[in-house]
Amino acid sequence: MGQGQSTEQSARNVTTEQLSHELAQHWATKCFTHLELTHFKDVFRSLADDQDSIHYWKEETLCRFLVIPDALGSGAVIFSMASYLAAFPFPSLAPSILTRETMLTVVVLMTERYGKVLKKGKADRNKLFFRSLAVYDRRMSSVQEKPDLGSFQKPGDGNQENTAIAGGEISTHPAGFAIDEPASEEEEEDDDELSLAALESLDAIEVFKNDQKADTKINHAQVPIDNFRRLLTFLLVIAPLESQDNLSKYAESLTDARIKGLRRVADSILWSFTPEQNAGISYHAFNSIIPASLPYLFDGLNPLFEHFLFSKNIDLSRRRKSASDGTSSPPPTAQIPDTPVEPLLQREGEILDLNILSQLSFFLKGSNLFRRLRLLYSGGDAGFSIGSFEKKILNWRAPSILLVSGSRLPATPQDSRQRAFAEMLPPKRYPDGASGNSKSNRVTFGCFLNVPWKSTHKEAIGDSDTLLFQLEPIHEVFRPSNINRDYATLTRSGIAFGIPPARAKHVSGLSSHVSLGPVSLMLDESLEYGVFTHDSAGGGSYHPSKARKYNWQDRFEIDSLEVWGCGGDEEAERQRAAWAFEEREAAARKKLNIGKDIEADRALLAMAGLLDSEKHMSGGSMA
């Protein structure tokens, strides 16, 4: 017992600075190879500033090394994140100076190399990222300027709002949203398990508990909207980044038009976190939305910070050659320019461009998207009909992504076609969906289908990896449920997701209206109109929204419809081979030798029961 007290007392006497040093040594030996450490030290030393014998990196140095474009304004946000993570696992020491040891901690956390030592996952890293972005002040002073709150609208017409007064502060909340409702103290007061695991490996849990007493509670913090918008635009740019990629090529592609598109996509994503006129994002919203709709949001940071492990000053091939022949190394030759690489997207569509591609990579694995997508069908090229749709997408034996965009229909049909579409649907009981920051009536929906398309008559297609999603004006992913498996259907009546296959014949006494699922997307037989339905009660093939706890329905006129195949040359060749086989079979059927030998044809028809053999055996009579 006395020994236990002695151990506990010695742990309390260890300073946080000493433990931070020990943890850095722990990272160095467990998470990096000797060669990687050599590269890291060279990168840090070559760019570090020196003051009072302390070598450190400042904001300008970090932004220049990571080639963070000035046009995005995200450099200060990345530096603020790094300064907080550098203090890990002691938040009371943040912001920390970026010395070599603390920068090593930043690289470990950004690249998830802590997994070699700590048995924790993405959820704990996301919590660290929230803390690194958050402001612990109810007034929410932004690192940059305050956002324009007037641009945010509530769902519906945007003219009504519920005002609540709590603790002397006035806040506005749109009806129907629940993601930012105050969570219980018990729910938000969970420990920082990643920090606990780090200090447990050093037998220093007691020091962490003492340090936490000075840390601000996480439910008192919010991420400023404007800062998060800047971060989102940067994450969209680096989404396709690989560890050996030239960073500058992504910065060079940022034209004014590209930046405008990036900000539009970032606003769609941002609105999923802030469905109210609020200056910040709460941890409850952050922790609910990212796992459900943005599980790969921060993946681009991994290869970005892997660049610390590749020094341009170290040429291993030259060193290896000089060591083998005993000669001095020759002077460096001119650097060979980067060889052209395959573009991220072979061609842009009417809907899918590089910005939407990065948005998709936030919830679909980038390995299935970047340099892997082929345009199978475009309504603008092939025509808007089920026949042309089937002709282009059938026989593709790999996953595919359907994207559809259009403009919301007015509440009252304006012409005969709109009236006909309205009459085939049940009466509209729900209002239109939220418009977010968008001032247009444009909506974009889609579905990721992990199985090949086929015509469905009795049962639907799809599996547990099928995803229904909305990209604009609000980003959200609706994941499949096990209540029923009507994930996708393709019939002559249209294309549907979350709706059972249509009945072949109308049953007397039942409604002739199309049956819409609780969470579903339906495109009509002419591919002219579509409808997305969201019933917050759920109960269908897809789970309802995590954030928007209310009912809505968007009826829209289709402007663009695309299907993109996830695959390479091998999948494309298989589809071409399948098409060629079907064409040969069709040609062979046309060449059947019927009509040249009349008697043989009569015998064949008689055997099939289509001709009376007794009547025609004698040749018949002219009478």
Side-chain angles (χ1 to χ4, degrees):
M1 183 172 179
Q3 183 179 1
Q5 290 178 346
S6 175
T7 302
E8 183 177 343
Q9 184 64 37
S10 63
R12 287 197 180 98
N13 292 333
V14 178
T15 65
T16 55
E17 288 78 6
Q18 288 174 314
L19 284 172
S20 295
H21 174 74
E22 289 182 29
L23 185 59
Q25 298 300 319
H26 205 46
W27 297 139
T29 56
K30 298 292 186 180
C31 301
F32 300 94
T33 65
H34 178 71
L35 180 60
E36 287 174 336
L37 279 177
T38 301
H39 278 265
F40 171 81
K41 291 176 181 178
D42 186 75
V43 167
F44 185 88
R45 176 191 54 79
S46 62
L47 297 175
D49 286 278
D50 184 6
Q51 183 175 346
D52 297 331
S53 299
I54 298 177
H55 297 274
Y56 68 97
W57 276 30
K58 53 188 178 181
E59 179 181 328
E60 179 186 353
T61 306
L62 181 65
C63 294
R64 186 174 71 251
F65 175 74
L66 296 179
V67 197
I68 299 176
D70 294 335
L72 300 181
S74 50
V77 181
I78 297 297
F79 182 77
S80 177
M81 291 180 67
S83 299
Y84 180 91
L85 297 177
F88 178 85
F90 302 109
S92 64
L93 299 180
S96 177
I97 299 173
L98 297 182
T99 63
R100 193 177 74 181
E101 284 189 351
T102 58
M103 182 62 82
L104 189 69
T105 297
V106 173
V107 173
V108 167
L109 296 173
M110 288 291 195
T111 61
E112 296 184 279
R113 286 178 174 243
Y114 58 80
K116 298 180 180 180
V117 178
L118 312 178
K119 305 302 181 184
K120 299 296 174 182
K122 283 182 178 290
D124 298 293
R125 188 178 78 146
N126 288 348
K127 186 172 185 178
L128 274 178
F129 284 168
F130 176 83
R131 289 181 180 272
S132 70
L133 292 164
V135 175
Y136 293 84
D137 189 337
R138 290 185 182 276
R139 293 171 298 178
M140 294 314 302
S141 298
S142 170
V143 173
Q144 310 291 335
E145 68 271 19
K146 283 193 174 183
D148 179 13
L149 301 184
S151 62
F152 288 88
Q153 305 173 15
K154 70 177 284 292
D157 57 14
N159 294 325
Q160 299 176 353
E161 59 186 19
N162 299 326
T163 304
I165 301 178
E169 296 182 2
I170 300 177
S171 61
T172 55
H173 299 265
F177 282 102
I179 195 67
D180 280 321
E181 289 177 356
S184 65
E185 287 285 326
E186 186 176 330
E187 177 185 354
E188 297 292 2
E189 285 305 303
D190 54 332
D191 290 326
D192 190 336
E193 302 220 1
L194 198 58
S195 299
L196 282 170
L199 288 168
E200 187 177 5
S201 68
L202 300 176
D203 296 323
I205 294 295
E206 196 65 31
V207 177
F208 173 77
K209 290 179 180 178
N210 291 335
D211 182 77
Q212 281 293 86
K213 293 177 181 178
D215 189 25
T216 311
K217 294 180 180 180
I218 197 169
N219 63 326
H220 291 168
Q222 288 186 323
V223 178
I225 287 175
D226 192 63
N227 291 347
F228 198 59
R229 181 188 289 112
R230 294 167 190 265
L231 178 63
L232 284 173
T233 56
F234 180 64
L235 293 175
L236 287 167
V237 172
I238 66 171
L241 186 68
E242 296 179 3
S243 57
Q244 302 266 3
D245 279 352
N246 186 345
L247 294 170
S248 61
K249 70 180 181 181
Y250 293 97
E252 292 170 357
S253 66
L254 293 179
T255 62
D256 291 342
R258 176 82 195 280
I259 292 175
K260 183 178 179 180
L262 284 168
R263 288 172 177 164
R264 186 186 72 248
V265 172
D267 278 341
S268 295
I269 298 173
L270 184 65
W271 183 252
S272 64
F273 290 93
T274 57
E276 59 178 324
Q277 293 189 8
N278 192 351
I281 301 167
S282 70
Y283 177 67
H284 181 60
F286 194 89
N287 194 42
S288 300
I289 296 299
I290 288 182
S293 296
L294 301 158
Y296 310 125
L297 175 66
F298 297 113
D299 279 12
L301 295 174
N302 294 36
L304 179 69
F305 280 82
E306 287 277 352
H307 281 74
F308 277 92
L309 308 180
F310 299 96
S311 173
K312 296 180 180 179
N313 301 326
I314 300 177
D315 190 342
L316 294 178
S317 61
R318 191 173 70 235
R319 180 178 300 179
R320 193 179 300 115
K321 180 179 179 181
S322 61
S324 62
D325 59 15
T327 61
S328 60
S329 59
T333 57
Q335 193 173 16
I336 301 175
D338 293 339
T339 56
V341 295
E342 185 180 357
L344 297 173
L345 193 60
Q346 288 186 351
R347 57 169 290 194
E348 292 190 351
E350 295 178 2
I351 303 175
L352 186 64
D353 57 14
L354 292 178
N355 302 325
I356 299 296
L357 182 64
S358 292
Q359 184 180 5
L360 291 174
S361 73
F362 287 168
F363 61 92
L364 297 173
K365 272 294 185 182
S367 56
N368 291 329
L369 299 176
F370 300 117
R371 303 181 179 91
R372 295 282 293 173
L373 291 185
R374 294 172 176 269
L375 183 60
L376 304 180
Y377 167 82
S378 172
D381 295 336
F384 291 89
S385 70
I386 295 296
S388 60
F389 183 89
E390 290 179 331
K391 184 177 180 181
K392 294 292 184 180
I393 57 95
L394 295 182
N395 294 323
W396 178 261
R397 304 299 179 187
S400 59
I401 301 170
L402 179 143
L403 299 174
V404 58
S405 68
S407 301
R408 288 192 180 111
L409 292 171
T412 304
Q414 302 297 305
D415 55 40
S416 58
R417 293 180 303 169
Q418 292 183 10
R419 280 193 294 272
F421 177 66
E423 289 170 359
M424 68 178 286
L425 301 177
K428 186 173 182 180
R429 298 181 292 119
Y430 302 151
D432 291 344
S435 297
N437 277 351
S438 175
K439 292 181 171 54
S440 68
N441 279 322
R442 180 180 169 88
V443 292
T444 302
F445 299 98
C447 182
F448 171 76
L449 196 61
N450 197 45
V451 299
W453 285 89
K454 66 178 181 179
S455 298
T456 56
H457 301 288
K458 295 183 179 180
E459 60 181 20
I461 57 176
D463 58 15
S464 58
D465 292 323
T466 305
L467 298 175
L468 188 63
F469 53 85
Q470 181 179 14
L471 299 180
E472 189 180 8
I474 296 178
H475 174 102
E476 186 151 14
V477 177
F478 306 92
R479 298 190 175 272
S481 73
N482 293 322
I483 296 178
N484 65 61
R485 300 182 182 276
D486 298 323
Y487 298 129
T489 58
L490 171 61
T491 67
R492 288 293 172 177
S493 299
I495 307 168
F497 305 93
I499 300 175
R503 297 185 300 269
K505 293 183 179 180
H506 173 63
V507 179
S508 178
L510 296 180
S511 172
S512 60
H513 294 140
V514 174
S515 176
L516 301 176
V519 179
S520 61
L521 172 66
M522 190 274 288
L523 311 181
D524 71 348
E525 60 184 351
S526 64
L527 302 184
E528 187 177 9
Y529 298 105
V531 54
F532 183 89
T533 302
H534 177 268
D535 187 329
S536 60
S541 303
Y542 297 96
H543 291 294
S545 170
K546 290 284 187 179
R548 293 175 276 178
K549 305 294 186 179
Y550 66 97
N551 304 325
W552 85 86
Q553 185 181 83
D554 282 329
R555 300 183 179 188
F556 57 95
E557 183 175 4
I558 297 174
D559 297 327
S560 302
L561 177 63
E562 297 172 354
V563 177
W564 295 80
C566 306
D569 295 336
E570 184 178 351
E571 288 81 5
E573 184 57 37
R574 287 178 182 174
Q575 187 185 38
R576 283 193 291 268
W579 280 338
F581 174 78
E582 290 183 357
E583 289 175 359
R584 289 194 300 270
E585 288 293 300
R589 287 192 294 270
K590 291 180 181 179
K591 294 180 180 179
L592 288 176
N593 189 22
I594 295 180
K596 295 182 179 180
D597 189 337
I598 297 176
E599 293 301 323
D601 293 344
R602 283 179 175 173
L604 182 62
L605 293 172
M607 284 188 290
L610 301 177
L611 192 66
D612 187 350
S613 58
E614 294 295 333
K615 181 177 179 181
H616 294 280
M617 281 304 283
S618 62
S621 173
M622 296 296 293

